[in-house]
Amino acid sequence: MRRVVIISYTEKGKELNTRVTACLLELGDVPIAFSYKENFMSTDELLRQEWKRSNAIVFIGAMGIAVRHIACYLMDKLKDPAVLVADERGQFIVPVLSGHIGGGVELARELAGKLGSQPVITTATDVEERFAVDVFAARNHLYAQKREQMKRISAALLRGESVDLWSGIPLRGEVPEGVRLCSSVTADPNDYAILLGAPLEEKRLSEIYMKDNACVLKPLRYILGIGCKKGKTADELEALLDVVCDREGIDKREIGAIASVDRKRKEEGIWELSRRLCVPYTVFSPDRLMQVEEEVSSSAFVKRTLGVDNVCERSACCLAGEWTGKREMPVSVGRSREEQGEAEGPRRRDAVQGEPLQTDWNRARYRLAVEKQALEGMTLALVEFFWQ
């Protein structure tokens, strides 16, 4: 699920805005449509409000308009929202910013497919059809300990060089061109990692951690479940999260997603927190949450109000079940267990034709690491993943 702002300036652009909004609704996203002089007057003011709480911004109009307006807001490729530009006839859709980690390329292709447009893709790994470490990490709930390492690996692959891959996490799918899958890492079971680097003798595997040309990817070990009263700000939610993480010794960088009930689908404070943490936000219906089998606390008041007796614990467990293939995965989050296939062993690496290389989260287990924490109309809980 993505929060996508669509900005148009003309009557014809407004027509495309309406079509884009409909497409995003079909994809399960949260579109926020803006038409000049109808519900906004200043692009700068609009961006000031939306830049930190939206996953993507789609400009309908000239490329120059978008470039001039977004320039002063650019911060970091890991934090900036995806920015796309479409001409008002919808002939072309161009991902301008955050094409990989921000999902701009994927969104451009999805919208182009529904609108009958031509996506204009310029990122080198996409053009050359090469394995992209940042895309692999984002799609498989991983993060790079040192982001500059991803650039070195991508550059090596674009030069036609080979890259070796070691993994302490079960993998499956087709190994991409230019990547050689090596034997499993024999390491502390609590230190699972995926390592990509220049070819290295496996007997010297321990040394790879010291090499600048090695990219270490670690699993995002936690899912954050949130419940809150309407209007709670990202500052308030993050303050509570900081207290809990400090007390429990949890690194916020290891949080991989936020989950809640669908009543909070448009809650701006949660959206902004998800953008601060650079993680996706997913919601579930009360009926779906009540199907969670894990033991959770119960509140009669919450059940009367929202139709579910616990939001934070149930939503975190519900999403964890989907990551590990124990429950059906909605389209907005990923593929179903049947599409992913069942894991047959802790080190399964057999290729499924047409399936890209991916971490086999079917082999992961999870537990409710932090039970419901409540403060001033906010609740949160954290689920932790581990491999046996």
Side-chain angles (χ1 to χ4, degrees):
M1 183 177 71
R2 296 162 294 200
R3 189 178 197 274
V4 183
V5 169
I6 313 105
I7 304 173
S8 58
Y9 297 91
T10 65
E11 282 300 316
K12 190 169 286 293
K14 181 182 175 182
E15 294 175 7
L16 182 59
N17 195 324
T18 301
R19 293 173 60 200
V20 170
T21 297
C23 292
L24 291 168
L25 288 171
E26 289 180 13
L27 291 168
D29 294 319
V30 180
I32 312 294
F34 291 96
S35 296
Y36 184 59
K37 292 187 178 180
E38 289 193 7
N39 57 354
F40 87 99
M41 295 297 294
S42 168
T43 303
D44 287 334
E45 181 62 31
L46 177 58
L47 290 178
R48 190 175 298 114
Q49 295 174 358
E50 297 296 341
W51 191 263
K52 293 183 179 181
R53 65 189 181 206
S54 299
N55 299 103
I57 297 172
V58 179
F59 284 87
I60 299 175
M63 178 77 73
I65 294 175
V67 171
R68 281 193 293 271
H69 282 297
I70 69 174
C72 63
Y73 296 99
L74 303 185
M75 296 180 295
D76 185 289
K77 69 179 294 182
L78 296 180
K79 297 179 180 180
D80 290 330
V83 175
L84 290 76
V85 175
D87 64 280
E88 63 180 27
R89 289 187 178 181
Q91 300 174 100
F92 303 100
I93 298 180
V94 187
V96 178
L97 187 70
S98 296
H100 277 172
I101 296 176
V105 170
E106 181 179 7
L107 179 57
R109 285 173 170 160
E110 289 176 337
L111 289 176
K114 288 186 171 294
L115 296 170
S117 307
Q118 174 65 48
V120 181
I121 310 302
T122 59
T123 43
T125 50
D126 289 298
V127 172
E128 300 297 334
E129 299 183 336
R130 294 287 184 175
F131 176 73
V133 180
D134 50 359
V135 174
F136 174 76
R139 290 178 176 173
N140 288 279
H141 316 309
L142 306 167
Y143 73 99
Q145 290 186 312
K146 294 182 180 180
R147 52 190 292 187
E148 63 271 13
Q149 294 170 330
M150 293 193 292
K151 297 179 182 178
R152 293 192 179 100
I153 297 302
S154 294
L157 289 168
L158 287 170
R159 290 193 300 267
E161 299 173 9
S162 62
V163 171
D164 282 354
L165 182 151
W166 296 265
S167 181
I169 301 174
L171 298 176
R172 57 178 316 219
E174 294 182 351
V175 179
E177 182 181 354
V179 177
R180 184 171 75 95
L181 191 61
C182 302
S183 300
S184 300
V185 175
T186 54
D188 185 328
N190 295 315
D191 190 34
Y192 286 105
I194 293 178
L195 297 87
L196 298 102
L200 184 72
E201 293 294 331
E202 291 189 53
K203 64 183 179 180
R204 296 169 52 209
L205 184 57
S206 61
E207 299 176 24
I208 197 169
Y209 283 98
M210 303 297 182
K211 289 190 170 291
D212 291 336
N213 62 348
C215 182
V216 181
L217 302 177
K218 304 283 282 187
L220 292 162
R221 297 171 54 207
Y222 298 96
I223 287 178
L224 172 62
I226 291 181
C228 68
K229 291 182 178 179
K230 183 177 181 180
K232 286 295 178 179
T233 67
D235 287 341
E236 292 175 295
L237 293 168
E238 189 169 25
L240 175 57
L241 177 61
D242 286 341
V243 169
V244 173
C245 288
D246 288 344
R247 187 189 68 216
E248 301 292 333
I250 293 173
D251 187 341
K252 287 195 299 183
R253 293 175 300 178
E254 293 187 301
I255 295 174
I258 295 176
S260 190
V261 66
D262 60 7
R263 184 81 68 86
K264 300 301 173 183
R265 185 181 183 86
K266 295 185 178 181
E267 194 68 45
E268 293 179 352
I270 301 180
W271 275 112
E272 184 171 338
L273 179 61
S274 76
R275 296 293 301 129
R276 290 182 185 182
L277 298 177
C278 301
V279 300
Y281 175 38
T282 301
V283 296
F284 301 94
S285 69
D287 289 343
R288 184 82 171 276
L289 293 179
M290 288 302 293
Q291 294 173 12
V292 167
E293 298 176 356
E294 287 77 16
E295 184 175 346
V296 301
S297 59
S298 178
S299 166
F301 172 77
V302 174
K303 180 66 182 296
R304 290 195 302 271
T305 305
L306 298 175
V308 58
D309 60 358
N310 180 303
V311 172
C312 61
E313 293 177 342
R314 286 189 180 276
S315 59
C317 289
C318 192
L319 185 54
E322 293 180 345
W323 277 26
T324 56
K326 296 175 177 61
R327 298 184 183 90
E328 184 180 354
M329 186 79 78
V331 174
S332 61
V333 178
R335 292 179 298 169
S336 68
R337 189 178 192 181
E338 289 73 24
E339 291 174 306
Q340 292 180 348
E342 293 286 336
E344 296 176 352
R347 291 291 180 269
R348 175 177 173 174
R349 289 191 178 87
D350 47 315
V352 176
Q353 187 173 7
E355 181 181 66
L357 184 70
Q358 60 187 273
T359 54
D360 197 343
W361 281 78
N362 287 350
R363 298 299 303 173
R365 300 292 181 267
Y366 61 88
R367 68 183 183 91
L368 191 60
V370 178
E371 297 178 352
K372 182 173 76 171
Q373 306 292 303
L375 178 68
E376 298 176 352
M378 300 175 288
T379 63
L380 65 79
L382 287 155
V383 160
E384 180 182 17
F385 294 96
F386 60 93
W387 277 263
Q388 295 177 322

